[in-house]
Amino acid sequence: MSDADSFETPSPDGGDGRDQGKGWFARLREGLSKSSRRLVDGISSLFTKRKLDSATLEELEELLITADLGVTTAAKLTQNLARDKFDKEVTGDEVREAFAADIAAILDPVARPLTIDATQKPFVILMVGVNGSGKTTTIGKLAKRFRAEGRSVMLAAGDTFRAAAIEQLRAWGERVGAPVVEKPHGTEAAALAFDALTRAKAEGTDVLLIDTAGRLQNKSLLMDELAKVVRVLKKQDPEAPHATVLVLDGTVGQNAHSQLKVFKEMVDVTGLVVTKLDGSARGGVVVALAETFGLPVHAVGVGESADDLRPFEARQYARSLMGLEG
Amino acid sequence: MFDGLSERLGSVFDKLRKRGALSESDVDAALREVRVALLEADVALPVVKQFIEKVRVRAVGSEVIKSVTPGQMVVKIVNDTLVETLGSDSQKVSVSATAPVPILMVGLQGGGKTTTTAKLAKRIAEKERKKVLMASLDVTRPAAREQLKMLGEQVGVDTLPIVPNESALTIAKRAMTVGRLQGYDVVFLDTAGRTSIDEALMSEVRAIRDQVKPHETLLVADALTGQDAVTTATNFDERVGLTGIVLTRIDGDSRGGAALSMRAITGKPIKALGVGEKVDEIEDFHPDRLANRILGMGDVVSLVERAAETIKEDEAERMAARMAKGQFTLDDMATQLRQMRQLGGLGGILGMLPGVGKIQKALAGANVDEKMFSRQEAIITSMTKAERKNPQVMNASRKRRVASGSGTQVQDINRLLKQHMEMSKMMKKVGKMGGGKAMMGMMGGGMPPGGPGGGGLPGGMGGLPGGGLPGMGGGGLPPGLPPGFPGKRK
């Protein structure tokens, strides 16, 4: 098991008060700054104003690869650029603008927030992902948001495997004012999910967030167990879970493809939350995923406080990835 | 998407084979594919560039041109360079210092620090018979310290009692004091996860480092990490100073290029691998295995090496001499069956050859029964010495006896005898062709030209030409197998 699902600083203000004035874009850019700075420096040093030749194109492609865009997507973007600008004089800014526009076009169709259908009571959200991607923390952040929207929220401590995962979720429950359904460590996750749904129905809860233990997608037994959670939920409500969210660690490289593919096959993932985008270089894999799978990206985690979970916005993400002002 | 390299290289080498020797442009073509494969395996770009250059320098020139199969040579050079870069020495986590030996665990959030701490602590407590204490310095994530405490109970390692509202530095000091006073040999300090650009947390960990002066500072890093691995490793190394890296989640299906990146950039050894969720699932690091995984192609080199280990030199010589005389007894056949098995059976051997994805699929349809090898061995060992030397004496009554002795049917005995006959006929032919030496050549792992990056089948296999593998039935091997592969020759 991993040790951490990220962490929350229990500062007195809960992190809520700070940076109130800043837009999410500023914070995302701040988070991505290291990554984009490298790209920007790279691109600018390539062009003070020079001809776009094949050697330059190759270097550009490599810069995109260093942001985890992957070989295929990086090649596609550079080819697009070559089509319009080959052999022309270009500046670094022009190249960045062109890339940002292309990336935004890829991301735009997938930038869709996680919307709660109020007619579903409870609206069941199943959170899945590999170990340490930040599921529990993301649940805490989502719960806080739903509570702020005036909804009643229930949390199900479905990670019955990792030591102290239940305690971690309980801490979140107390913080945001949401009851936590739990069973002893080692209980079957499906049984817990079933009970949680029963209770949420009985209590008329608006949103039920179900945590699950992290699992690597190539462990077929564990994946079967996850499929069972879904089957059991459907027994009570054929529509449930109404959303299945894969929490993806933003530092993960090309393995993200395999993660999304397998989780989608097993539990029909309906959307993504990308976490840990506040460290150093990262985030490019989202572009490649959007191209391959076209699944909605609901939100990005750009920090440790509850407010650092932000809706995913294509244009801004693309521009901040390329180090451009809003 | 990761099956790519062997296939890509396969097509590159197909072209090479037709020409027989590698030119500079051939090497470039092959290396372009290697480069993409490494990038797809998440090896960081600067590392890929360095690496490719190293291989290029080695590959272009006499080393390759002298070789019989140039394609194979490139694979070997790529592989060897990879192993070398990963570190040819395997180093363990060291606890040889004045007790209590402080070991500091650092890394990003969610990298697996706490679990790894428990795993390492358990191993050192059990294998090295040390008295170990663990302390969680993570005062930020909810329930982090409870997690370590629970893990400690699970693995039977003591944890520092939790005192609320202490700072990380205070806990570290207290852990070392407890360690000294209560006679602990090793004290693990599990820090809070942090992003590598979080200056406040970085200086906190530096303060802890200055206080406890750790004997080992281990970066716990996720094998799933992408290009960022380099930044993370560099930042931690520069700001905290690392003595080694522990790679977690190596049991996932990532190619683990992050390992190569971090090792190459920091020069710090990889000291252990987390290979599962259970508390004893931690392993020593073997550069060759990881190299194989990053390349994502079968390791011809290790096939040859393993074959060389498995087949005892004198045994091979004796057999070659006998074969030259056209003698091939059932004992010889049993030896070969055994060697096959030691090499990991047919599946194992195929798994080690590059470009065999297709073949393996074909084989799955060809009904190769791996158990057949051990059954046939059982048949042979159920025979008397005389029968093994001279199978002609096998009459119906003897066959019944051997069948019941080996738990098989009389028809199995018949099939085996027939195979043996075919094989010994083949041996005789080869023997007449001036065989002994040629046979020995094959045993040395020589590479018959024409194999698609495969070839070079080791002795035990080379000794089985033509006659069809036991257990293969009449099906033979699917078309497209490299020559030299022990299949039915038409």
Side-chain angles (χ1 to χ4, degrees), chain B residues 64-85:
Chain B
V64 173
I65 287 151
K66 270 185 212 154
S67 162
V68 191
T69 54
Q72 197 130 32
M73 204 60 214
V74 176
V75 174
K76 193 180 182 311
I77 294 169
V78 169
N79 183 77
D80 290 357
T81 314
L82 208 47
V83 173
E84 212 179 274
T85 314

Side-chain angles (χ1 to χ4, degrees), chain B residues 156-404:
Chain B
V157 173
D158 297 341
T159 46
L160 188 74
I162 298 170
V163 176
N165 301 323
E166 265 184 339
S167 75
L169 185 61
T170 319
I171 303 174
K173 280 187 205 163
R174 183 159 62 88
M176 293 315 293
T177 313
V178 170
R180 252 186 306 279
L181 293 179
Q182 301 185 12
Y184 284 96
D185 300 313
V186 181
V187 177
F188 276 93
L189 300 168
D190 177 25
T191 64
R194 59 208 66 220
T195 68
S196 59
I197 53 174
D198 186 328
E199 208 29 77
L201 281 165
M202 276 293 183
S203 50
E204 176 194 282
V205 89
R206 264 202 308 273
I208 294 166
R209 176 202 64 192
D210 295 341
Q211 175 68 36
V212 304
K213 303 202 170 40
H215 178 61
E216 290 263 25
T217 303
L218 300 174
L219 174 68
V220 180
D222 188 336
L224 308 179
T225 311
Q227 296 281 329
D228 186 50
V230 169
T231 321
T232 304
T234 314
N235 281 350
F236 273 104
D237 195 29
E238 279 171 3
R239 291 165 196 220
V240 188
L242 303 174
T243 60
I245 296 161
V246 180
L247 213 59
T248 60
R249 283 200 267 288
I250 199 81
D251 52 325
D253 62 359
S254 81
R255 291 268 291 279
L260 181 69
S261 307
M262 291 194 273
R263 162 77 211 200
I265 291 283
T266 63
K268 298 289 155 41
I270 297 164
K271 294 199 163 177
L273 302 176
V275 294
E277 298 187 348
K278 299 198 190 73
V279 284
D280 49 4
E281 287 176 321
I282 190 158
E283 278 180 6
D284 291 333
F285 168 67
H286 297 281
D288 44 344
R289 286 186 208 164
L290 200 70
N292 199 356
R293 175 177 181 144
I294 292 173
L295 266 183
M297 57 191 307
D299 187 359
V300 182
V301 184
S302 95
L303 174 67
V304 176
E305 282 164 4
R306 256 168 90 184
E309 273 170 33
T310 310
I311 295 146
K312 291 185 192 94
E313 200 65 32
D314 52 338
E315 199 177 352
E317 243 167 74
R318 224 182 322 120
M319 200 187 291
R322 265 210 310 278
M323 280 177 201
K325 281 187 240 153
Q327 294 166 341
F328 181 71
T329 65
L330 280 165
D331 275 322
D332 296 331
M333 191 168 164
T335 309
Q336 298 215 325
L337 287 170
R338 217 169 297 130
Q339 283 167 354
M340 283 277 297
R341 244 200 4 232
Q342 279 162 357
L343 284 168
L346 195 53
I349 290 170
L350 288 178
M352 285 190 281
L353 294 172
V356 283
K358 275 176 277 175
I359 299 176
Q360 256 169 342
K361 269 173 223 152
L363 267 184
N367 260 334
V368 180
D369 185 0
E370 294 271 354
K371 277 191 195 140
M372 199 65 176
F373 296 133
S374 42
R375 237 176 283 145
Q376 295 199 319
E377 222 187 301
I379 293 175
I380 296 175
T381 48
S382 298
M383 294 178 180
T384 65
K385 271 188 189 165
E387 286 167 345
R388 274 181 253 171
K389 246 191 193 132
N390 188 9
Q392 277 86 351
V393 302
M394 293 294 292
N395 56 23
S397 139
R398 283 177 191 262
K399 281 177 190 169
R400 269 199 303 278
R401 192 202 76 238
V402 172
S404 69

